[in-house]
Amino acid sequence: MAAASDCLFCKIVAGDIPAEVVHVTEHAVAFRDINAQAPTHVLVVPRAHYRNAAELAHGDPEATAELLRVAAAVAEAEGHEDYRLVFNTGESVGQSVFHTHVHLLAGRAMTWPPG
Ligand code: DGP
Protein backbone atom coordinates (compact mmCIF):
# COMPACT_ATOMS: atom_id res chain seq x y z
CA MET A 1 0.00 0.00 0.00
CA ALA A 2 1.33 3.47 -0.90
CA ALA A 3 2.37 6.02 1.71
CA ALA A 4 -0.30 8.54 2.65
CA SER A 5 0.91 12.06 1.93
CA ASP A 6 -0.57 13.54 5.11
CA CYS A 7 0.50 10.74 7.47
CA LEU A 8 3.00 11.54 10.24
CA PHE A 9 4.32 7.98 10.53
CA CYS A 10 4.69 7.61 6.74
CA LYS A 11 6.90 10.70 6.94
CA ILE A 12 8.95 9.20 9.78
CA VAL A 13 9.34 5.94 7.82
CA ALA A 14 10.49 7.93 4.80
CA GLY A 15 12.97 9.91 6.91
CA ASP A 16 11.22 13.21 6.16
CA ILE A 17 10.49 13.80 9.86
CA PRO A 18 13.25 12.92 12.35
CA ALA A 19 12.76 10.24 14.99
CA GLU A 20 15.00 8.19 17.24
CA VAL A 21 14.94 4.98 15.23
CA VAL A 22 16.03 1.91 17.21
CA HIS A 23 15.38 -0.98 14.78
CA VAL A 24 14.59 -1.38 11.09
CA THR A 25 13.58 -4.40 9.01
CA GLU A 26 12.20 -5.01 5.54
CA HIS A 27 8.62 -4.35 6.62
CA ALA A 28 8.91 -2.39 9.87
CA VAL A 29 10.51 0.59 11.59
CA ALA A 30 10.77 1.04 15.37
CA PHE A 31 11.33 4.45 16.95
CA ARG A 32 10.97 6.02 20.39
CA ASP A 33 7.64 7.58 21.28
CA ILE A 34 7.93 11.36 21.62
CA ASN A 35 5.72 11.23 24.72
CA ALA A 36 7.22 8.29 26.60
CA GLN A 37 5.00 6.61 29.18
CA ALA A 38 7.64 4.14 30.42
CA PRO A 39 11.46 3.92 30.48
CA THR A 40 11.19 2.01 27.20
CA HIS A 41 8.37 3.30 25.00
CA VAL A 42 8.92 2.40 21.38
CA LEU A 43 6.46 2.44 18.48
CA VAL A 44 6.78 -0.31 15.90
CA VAL A 45 5.12 0.57 12.60
CA PRO A 46 4.82 -1.11 9.20
CA ARG A 47 6.50 0.72 6.35
CA ALA A 48 3.22 0.49 4.43
CA HIS A 49 0.28 2.66 5.35
CA TYR A 50 -2.68 0.91 7.02
CA ARG A 51 -5.04 2.66 9.42
CA ASN A 52 -5.00 0.11 12.21
CA ALA A 53 -3.89 -3.36 13.28
CA ALA A 54 -6.85 -5.21 11.78
CA GLU A 55 -6.43 -3.56 8.37
CA LEU A 56 -2.74 -4.48 8.44
CA ALA A 57 -3.55 -8.07 9.44
CA HIS A 58 -5.91 -8.41 6.47
CA GLY A 59 -3.64 -6.60 4.01
CA ASP A 60 -0.20 -7.83 5.04
CA PRO A 61 -0.05 -10.73 7.50
CA GLU A 62 3.74 -10.99 7.21
CA ALA A 63 4.23 -7.36 8.21
CA THR A 64 1.80 -7.88 11.11
CA ALA A 65 3.91 -10.73 12.44
CA GLU A 66 7.06 -8.69 11.90
CA LEU A 67 5.78 -5.93 14.19
CA LEU A 68 5.60 -8.46 17.03
CA ARG A 69 9.03 -9.92 16.26
CA VAL A 70 10.57 -6.44 16.16
CA ALA A 71 8.89 -5.47 19.44
CA ALA A 72 10.32 -8.59 21.09
CA ALA A 73 13.78 -7.87 19.67
CA VAL A 74 13.73 -4.28 20.92
CA ALA A 75 12.54 -5.37 24.38
CA GLU A 76 15.36 -7.91 24.56
CA ALA A 77 17.94 -5.41 23.29
CA GLU A 78 16.89 -2.99 26.03
CA GLY A 79 17.12 -5.69 28.70
CA HIS A 80 13.40 -6.26 29.36
CA GLU A 81 12.04 -9.76 29.84
CA ASP A 82 8.60 -8.34 30.68
CA TYR A 83 6.83 -5.85 28.46
CA ARG A 84 3.40 -4.69 27.32
CA LEU A 85 2.24 -4.32 23.70
CA VAL A 86 -0.72 -2.06 22.90
CA PHE A 87 -2.57 -1.47 19.64
CA ASN A 88 -5.08 1.36 20.03
CA THR A 89 -7.84 1.14 17.40
CA GLY A 90 -10.13 4.15 17.23
CA GLU A 91 -10.17 7.61 18.71
CA SER A 92 -12.28 6.74 21.77
CA VAL A 93 -9.63 4.29 23.05
CA GLY A 94 -6.73 6.62 22.41
CA GLN A 95 -5.63 6.19 18.80
CA SER A 96 -4.35 9.55 17.61
CA VAL A 97 -2.18 8.54 14.63
CA PHE A 98 -4.01 6.53 11.99
CA HIS A 99 -1.03 4.53 10.73
CA THR A 100 -0.82 1.12 12.40
CA HIS A 101 1.57 1.06 15.34
CA VAL A 102 2.16 -1.14 18.33
CA HIS A 103 3.33 0.52 21.53
CA LEU A 104 6.12 -1.39 23.29
CA LEU A 105 6.13 -0.34 26.94
CA ALA A 106 8.64 -1.70 29.44
CA GLY A 107 10.88 -0.87 32.35
CA ARG A 108 8.34 -0.19 35.09
CA ALA A 109 5.59 -2.04 36.94
CA MET A 110 2.16 -1.74 35.31
CA THR A 111 -1.37 -2.22 36.53
CA TRP A 112 -4.36 -3.90 34.93
CA PRO A 113 -6.87 -2.93 33.65
CA PRO A 114 -5.44 0.02 31.72
CA GLY A 115 -7.30 3.31 31.97
P1 DGP B 1 -1.76 6.46 19.61
O1 DGP B 1 -2.26 7.46 20.59
O2 DGP B 1 -1.96 5.03 20.04
O3 DGP B 1 -2.24 6.74 18.21
O4 DGP B 1 -0.18 6.65 19.61
C1 DGP B 1 0.47 7.66 18.89
C2 DGP B 1 1.78 7.91 19.58
O5 DGP B 1 2.59 8.64 18.69
C3 DGP B 1 1.68 8.76 20.85
O6 DGP B 1 2.05 7.97 21.98
C4 DGP B 1 2.67 9.89 20.65
C5 DGP B 1 3.45 9.45 19.43
N1 DGP B 1 3.84 10.55 18.57
C6 DGP B 1 3.04 11.52 18.08
N2 DGP B 1 3.74 12.34 17.28
C7 DGP B 1 5.02 11.87 17.26
C8 DGP B 1 6.21 12.30 16.59
O7 DGP B 1 6.26 13.27 15.84
N3 DGP B 1 7.33 11.55 16.83
C9 DGP B 1 7.32 10.45 17.63
N4 DGP B 1 8.48 9.81 17.79
N5 DGP B 1 6.22 10.01 18.26
C10 DGP B 1 5.08 10.72 18.07
Side-chain angles (χ1 to χ4, degrees), residues 8-9 12 31-34 43 88 94-97 101 103:
L8 174 64
F9 288 174
I12 288 177
F31 54 90
R32 295 197 192 284
D33 194 295
I34 207 169
L43 303 172
N88 291 322
Q95 188 176 7
S96 59
V97 179
H101 51 283
H103 294 257

Side-chain angles (χ1 to χ4, degrees), residues 15-54:
D16 295 338
I17 290 179
E20 193 180 339
V21 173
V22 296
H23 198 106
V24 294
T25 64
E26 182 185 352
H27 296 294
V29 177
F31 54 90
R32 295 197 192 284
D33 194 295
I34 207 169
N35 184 23
Q37 302 299 315
T40 291
H41 188 171
V42 167
L43 303 172
V44 190
V45 312
R47 291 182 183 277
H49 182 84
Y50 291 88
R51 280 179 62 80
N52 57 47

Side-chain angles (χ1 to χ4, degrees), residues 34 37 46 56 59-60 68 98 113:
I34 207 169
Q37 302 299 315
L56 179 67
D60 194 340
L68 304 186
F98 289 81

